[in-house]
Amino acid sequence: MLSEIAMVGGGLIIGLGAGIILFKYITDKKVSDSKGLAERIVEEARKESEALKKESRLQAQDEIFNQKKELEREFKDRESQLKSEEKRLHSKEERLDAKREKVADKEAQVVELEKQLIKQEKHLSELEEDLTQKSDEHERKLQEISGLTVEEARESLLKEIESRTRHEAAKMIRNIEMEAKENASKKAKEILSLALQRYAGDYAGEQTVTAVTLPSEDMKGRIIGREGRNIRALEAATGVDLIIDDTPETVVLSAFSPLKREVAKQALERLIHDGRIHPARIEEIVRKVEGEMDTKLKEIGEQATFDVGVHGIHPELINLLGRLHYRTSFSQNVLQHSMEVAFLCGVMAAELGLNEKEAKRAGLLHDIGKAVDHEIEGPHAIIGADLAKKHGESKEIIHSIAAHHEDTPPMTILANLVQAADSLSGARPGARKELLENYVKRLEELEGLATGFDGVQKAYAIQAGREIRVMVDSEKVGDENTYVLCKDIAEKIENNMTYPGQIRVTVIREKRAVGYAK
């Protein structure tokens, strides 16, 4: 048993020794193989390193060669540029040298010209002195021959030049007027004459008083009342002055407002008919008449719009139209005038192919501001335009109202039509009455302005002062100068007189030859 164990142990020791020997062999071989591999790797690395070094050296040499070529090329380019710049500078220097030579030549020429100018100035000074002496001598001889001084001769020459110039200006004025008249006068006259022929309005009466007829002379005392209380109450309620004089059975109502006179007249007539005349009754009747008058004003305004053919006007404007019935301007009834203007505007608009209804509307409303111009400050045209704008009228209507007296410059055809129709209505004979004294004074003033011109023999104001005919001396005023004289007279009338519409100036020159046969 022990022997077996010994044998097994011996075998194990032998096996272990053999394993150790084998492991050492294997280990030595691996180490030997590793050393060989390492040596091969090192050798290959060395060879690769040498190859890389060689390649790097070749690349460096190529780069150095390329950089050298680039530097050489840049150097050649720089050298070429420098040569070109040098050549350009040389050429510029040559041009500058040429310019210096030219400048030097010009300087020499200028110096020479200065010398010549100095000589010429000296020569001219001598000539001027000589001419001055000769001129003085010539003037002295002319004065001795003509007997005129220099100032007198100058004045005579200026008058002659002025006369010739005025003559030429008269020719030009005549030609221009004839050319303008050929184009515009004929058509304008046709339209205006047609408008006037198709309308004939009433003549206006100058009036600031209203007479009320009494049933008896005893009524005057009742109207006056105890200590004048009735007449004071009536005047206070109506704003009208009552004039009670020696005129039999008549009381006169005086006021500038026709509307107030009408209210006072109706109130007084009702009081006389009623017989009860005392302050309380007077105030009651006046209030009642004023209320009825508001209704009447509306009816008058509506009737005016119906007669003209204009519809859709604001009720407030219709009421103001009714008030115009009791408003006068230069003694002309303003509502009647407005209706005339509306009709004339419609006729002219129809002839021109414009909107006839719009033209009538503008004509009817053009003086609407006069209904309240005593309550609102400012021109009645501007007041009327504001009223029309407030009550929804169109821009064309508003502008026509504002521009009919040129408070605003007329910018539309409708505005010019209203302005023309307004002048026609106011200027037609009989439309506006004047006091005889003022009328004669204006005609005399008109004739006096014309006769104040040199060469005028007589002047006659005709057509109620709408035209003046001037007779001139044919020996003093020539054919062409008649146009200048006509313009001068018209300008003087415009600057010195105030008148509605326009005044026509006609200058007449007549040459007569008279002979006798024996």
Side-chain angles (χ1 to χ4, degrees):
M1 184 67 175
L2 291 172
S3 61
E4 290 179 357
I5 293 169
M7 287 180 64
V8 172
L12 289 171
I13 292 170
I14 294 170
L16 182 61
I20 291 171
I21 294 170
L22 181 60
F23 177 75
K24 185 178 180 181
Y25 173 76
I26 293 170
T27 303
D28 291 340
K29 189 175 181 180
K30 285 184 178 180
V31 169
S32 177
D33 291 339
S34 297
K35 288 182 178 179
L37 180 61
E39 289 178 355
R40 287 197 302 273
I41 290 171
V42 168
E43 183 66 20
E44 288 178 358
R46 184 180 62 79
K47 290 181 180 180
E48 187 175 354
S49 175
E50 289 179 356
L52 289 172
K53 287 181 179 179
K54 186 175 181 179
E55 185 177 356
S56 298
R57 193 180 298 112
L58 291 174
Q59 288 179 355
Q61 289 178 354
D62 290 340
E63 186 175 353
I64 291 169
F65 179 75
N66 292 331
Q67 289 180 355
K68 183 178 179 182
K69 287 181 68 177
E70 184 69 22
L71 289 172
E72 288 178 354
R73 186 171 67 255
E74 289 180 1
F75 178 76
K76 287 181 181 180
D77 292 340
R78 292 284 181 87
E79 186 177 9
S80 175
Q81 291 177 0
L82 289 174
K83 288 181 179 180
S84 176
E85 187 70 20
E86 184 179 0
K87 185 177 180 181
R88 188 177 64 80
L89 291 174
H90 181 69
S91 176
K92 188 174 182 180
E93 186 177 357
E94 289 180 351
R95 289 196 300 272
L96 288 174
D97 291 338
K99 287 183 179 179
R100 289 193 194 97
E101 293 178 358
K102 290 181 180 179
V103 169
D105 293 340
K106 288 183 178 180
E107 287 179 353
Q109 292 176 5
V110 169
V111 172
E112 185 65 25
L113 287 173
E114 286 180 353
K115 292 179 180 179
Q116 293 179 5
L117 286 173
I118 292 171
K119 290 180 181 179
Q120 289 179 0
E121 286 179 357
K122 185 176 180 182
H123 180 63
L124 288 173
S125 298
E126 294 173 355
L127 288 175
E128 186 176 0
E129 292 177 0
D130 187 32
L131 287 173
T132 303
Q133 293 175 358
K134 290 182 178 180
S135 176
D136 294 340
E137 184 179 354
H138 184 62
E139 285 184 3
R140 284 194 299 271
K141 288 182 179 181
L142 287 175
Q143 290 179 16
E144 292 174 0
I145 295 171
S146 63
L148 297 173
T149 63
V150 176
E151 289 75 11
E152 291 173 346
R154 183 182 294 109
E155 185 177 354
S156 176
L157 180 61
L158 289 175
K159 286 183 178 179
E160 183 180 355
I161 293 172
E162 182 182 1
S163 177
R164 292 180 181 177
T165 305
R166 288 173 69 88
H167 182 73
E168 294 298 326
K171 286 184 177 179
M172 292 180 65
I173 290 171
R174 184 179 180 183
N175 293 334
I176 292 171
E177 284 186 346
M178 291 178 65
E179 184 178 353
K181 287 178 180 178
E182 288 178 359
N183 296 329
S185 179
K186 184 177 179 181
K187 185 61 178 176
K189 286 180 179 178
E190 287 178 358
I191 294 173
L192 293 178
S193 62
L194 180 63
L196 286 174
Q197 289 171 7
R198 292 177 60 183
Y199 186 82
D202 297 332
Y203 284 79
E206 184 175 3
Q207 186 179 4
T208 58
V209 295
T210 300
V212 179
T213 303
L214 304 179
S216 65
E217 282 294 309
D218 296 337
M219 187 59 67
K220 287 185 179 180
R222 297 182 61 185
I223 292 173
I224 295 172
R226 183 180 300 175
E227 297 178 356
R229 63 175 187 173
N230 291 345
I231 194 171
R232 287 197 300 271
L234 186 59
E235 288 178 345
T238 60
V240 174
D241 294 330
L242 269 73
I243 302 173
I244 300 178
D245 53 19
D246 296 335
T247 306
E249 300 180 355
T250 302
V251 173
V252 176
L253 306 176
S254 176
F256 286 105
S257 172
L259 181 59
K260 290 182 179 179
R261 290 203 310 271
E262 183 66 20
V263 172
K265 178 184 176 182
Q266 292 187 21
L268 185 58
E269 288 176 346
R270 292 190 185 185
L271 287 168
I272 293 169
H273 181 73
D274 183 62
R276 294 175 293 172
I277 304 176
H278 53 83
R281 182 62 175 168
I282 289 172
E283 293 177 358
E284 179 185 352
I285 292 296
V286 169
R287 286 196 299 269
K288 186 175 181 181
V289 171
E290 287 177 343
E292 294 175 356
M293 184 58 69
D294 290 337
T295 303
K296 185 177 181 180
L297 292 178
K298 182 179 178 182
E299 292 175 355
I300 293 172
E302 290 176 346
Q303 185 63 41
T305 59
F306 177 78
D307 293 341
V308 175
V310 175
H311 306 287
I313 295 179
H314 193 276
E316 184 63 28
L317 294 180
I318 291 177
N319 186 61
L320 293 176
L321 283 174
R323 295 180 67 175
L324 292 180
H325 178 69
Y326 297 99
R327 172 75 157 83
T328 59
S329 177
F330 296 100
S331 73
Q332 185 181 22
N333 185 280
V334 178
L335 180 59
Q336 183 66 26
H337 164 69
S338 298
M339 294 173 68
E340 290 181 11
V341 172
F343 188 85
L344 294 171
C345 280
V347 173
M348 290 190 287
E351 289 297 317
L352 295 172
L354 303 176
N355 190 328
E356 185 176 352
K357 290 186 177 180
E358 186 179 39
K360 285 185 176 182
R361 192 184 194 96
L364 183 63
L365 297 176
H366 82 284
D367 268 347
I368 197 70
K370 287 186 177 180
V372 293
D373 60 353
H374 59 287
E375 302 172 0
I376 304 174
E377 293 185 358
H380 73 271
I382 302 301
I383 296 172
D386 292 340
L387 288 172
K389 183 178 181 180
K390 178 181 178 181
H391 295 101
E393 293 296 327
S394 65
K395 292 182 179 179
E396 290 76 10
I397 302 295
I398 295 169
H399 175 69
S400 300
I401 295 172
H404 80 274
H405 282 312
E406 295 195 356
D407 296 284
T408 299
M411 305 297 292
T412 63
I413 298 177
L414 182 59
N416 285 284
L417 283 182
V418 172
Q419 193 177 74
D422 181 54
S423 298
L424 287 174
S425 176
R428 67 181 180 84
R432 296 178 176 179
K433 294 291 185 180
E434 297 177 282
L435 290 173
L436 180 61
E437 182 181 352
N438 294 336
Y439 174 75
V440 173
K441 184 177 178 181
R442 185 165 67 86
L443 295 186
E444 290 177 350
E445 183 183 0
L446 183 60
E447 293 176 353
L449 288 176
T451 54
F453 285 86
D454 186 30
V456 176
Q457 291 180 328
K458 296 179 181 179
Y460 301 97
I462 60 176
Q463 295 292 334
R466 303 298 178 188
E467 181 179 356
I468 181 169
R469 294 186 180 179
V470 183
M471 308 294 181
V472 299
D473 187 350
S474 59
E475 299 296 333
K476 294 182 179 180
V477 182
D479 285 338
E480 302 298 338
N481 290 333
T482 55
Y483 288 90
V484 177
L485 180 62
C486 183
K487 294 292 182 184
D488 293 342
I489 294 174
E491 184 177 355
K492 190 172 182 180
I493 292 172
E494 289 179 0
N495 295 332
N496 292 277
M497 292 188 66
T498 302
Y499 51 89
Q502 63 182 9
I503 297 176
R504 180 179 179 181
V505 180
T506 304
V507 177
I508 301 172
R509 178 181 180 271
E510 185 179 17
K511 182 70 172 179
R512 293 187 181 184
V514 180
Y516 297 94
K518 296 182 180 179

